[in-house]
Amino acid sequence: MSSQQTHPREDPVANTVDTVPHLPPGFTDTFTSRFVDVNGVAVHAVVGGDGPPLLLLPGWPQFWYCWQLVMPALAEHFTVIAADHRGQGASDKPATGYDMATLADDLAGLMAGLGHSRYAVAGIDVGMISGYALAASHREHVTRLAVVEAILPGLSPLPNLLSDPAINKFLWHFSFNRLQDINERMVAGREEIYFGHQFATKTASPDAIPPHAVDLYVEALRDPAALHASFEYFRADNAPLILGWQKEGPLNIPVLAIGAEFSTGASVEQVMRQVAGDVTGLVVPGSGHFVTEEAPDAIAKALLDFFR
């Protein structure tokens, strides 16, 4: 059993709702930053709205801000909790604990600390994997699950080492991110090159993510602890965990599996059908990988249709 304690932060913390730029009008009238201590790790979330709780999980190399264009529409119907995993945004960034079982326990502790025992979950990229991990390892808590734009290690097919140029361009960062030490040394001081490349090449168009958002994500990753954490998500051996949860049986909750036309497409639905019995698939037209920012209206509509 994990221990949780909620608390405010008296000193300003980077990447909280009060410190990030270019939020939608009225955003800070609805949303506030909250911190919950889960077994000694301060987990940050941006919370607001009214209605049943809906936990939003961010992707790599981002943090809760990747949901900010979607959150106001969701907050009209839900109490929205946009979390940062450990290592992201304003959450603590310990050296270890980046496997999906630990992340799922963190998230369950966050929600318990905020007073929620039953809740819906939506996650993109890394948040898709942690969202599945949370639903599979804390089945009594998750009521519905939406997953967006990722794979499930151990289940999703892997490309050949020497794959065609398009596949290599899309997936080369997986192998690079799993390296030990050398990747951190190569990227440190050049964060805008490496992470800027991700946003420029995995979107439907190179300028789909506005410069202020790219700059915010890059600046957050200049923190050596955040940079280390960003690679630890990939270094963790999550395939045995996911295969173990799959063996425990399919999820018995409704699942919405969302891919993007110019990214994962229908593969999200295909892999989720291996772990859940009630899966609805959706491919967002005209979008690349960063779909919550490239097509926020489409994602908001899809989530409202699914969760309401």
Side-chain angles (χ1 to χ4, degrees):
M1 178 68 69
S2 64
S3 61
Q4 308 92 26
Q5 181 179 358
T6 62
H7 61 91
R9 287 288 180 96
E10 295 181 359
D11 299 325
V13 178
N15 304 317
T16 60
V17 72
D18 297 316
T19 62
V20 295
H22 298 282
L23 292 168
F27 194 92
T28 55
D29 295 332
T30 300
F31 294 100
T32 59
S33 279
R34 301 280 300 276
F35 290 86
V36 177
D37 284 336
V38 183
N39 288 335
V41 175
V43 181
H44 170 254
V46 176
V47 181
D50 187 35
L54 171 57
L55 174 63
L56 304 179
L57 304 175
W60 177 93
Q62 301 163 292
F63 54 93
W64 71 266
Y65 190 83
C66 73
W67 287 100
Q68 50 104 8
L69 297 177
V70 182
M71 291 164 65
L74 298 180
E76 295 179 10
H77 304 276
F78 300 97
T79 299
V80 173
I81 302 101
D84 288 328
H85 299 105
R86 66 166 65 198
Q88 286 180 321
S91 288
D92 280 353
K93 300 165 181 64
T96 60
Y98 293 93
D99 63 278
M100 288 298 154
T102 301
L103 295 184
D105 287 346
D106 285 351
L107 296 168
L110 167 71
M111 295 302 282
L114 293 174
H116 304 299
S117 61
R118 297 275 289 168
Y119 41 87
V121 178
I124 183 169
D125 191 80
V126 168
M128 167 174 158
I129 310 173
S130 65
Y132 169 68
L134 177 60
S137 61
H138 296 269
R139 299 188 184 217
E140 69 278 17
H141 296 308
V142 179
T143 59
R144 282 178 172 252
L145 175 66
V147 293
V148 188
E149 273 294 301
I151 65 168
L152 288 183
L155 295 176
S156 295
L158 299 177
N160 294 325
L161 177 62
L162 299 178
S163 55
D164 67 77
I167 294 296
N168 186 62
K169 179 182 177 182
F170 183 53
L171 296 176
W172 71 275
H173 68 285
F174 276 83
S175 294
F176 179 81
N177 287 357
R178 287 176 60 83
L179 298 173
Q180 295 289 337
D181 179 59
I182 185 63
N183 44 12
E184 291 177 44
R185 291 164 56 197
M186 291 177 68
V187 173
R190 307 173 184 87
E191 292 86 356
E192 71 282 358
I193 298 175
Y194 180 60
F195 295 109
H197 180 78
Q198 304 300 320
F199 292 110
T201 60
K202 291 180 171 58
T203 46
S205 62
D207 58 353
I209 308 297
H212 70 259
V214 174
D215 290 346
L216 181 66
Y217 296 133
V218 168
E219 189 62 31
L221 289 158
R222 294 190 194 281
D223 175 358
L227 182 64
H228 172 76
S230 76
F231 295 128
E232 285 294 297
Y233 298 123
F234 292 82
R235 292 167 179 157
D237 186 10
N238 288 306
L241 293 171
I242 289 171
L243 292 171
W245 289 319
Q246 182 194 37
K247 289 179 181 178
E248 293 176 7
L251 300 180
N252 60 1
I253 56 174
V255 174
L256 175 63
I258 302 175
E261 178 184 3
F262 300 120
S263 187
T264 58
S267 67
V268 179
E269 176 185 357
Q270 292 164 2
V271 74
M272 291 309 296
R273 290 194 179 280
Q274 298 183 55
V275 296
D278 181 4
V279 178
T280 300
L282 173 67
V283 176
V284 178
S287 181
H289 174 68
F290 297 99
V291 65
T292 58
E293 291 166 288
E294 294 185 68
D297 291 344
I299 290 297
K301 183 180 185 305
L303 296 183
L304 287 171
D305 290 346
F306 177 68
F307 285 123
R308 282 193 294 177

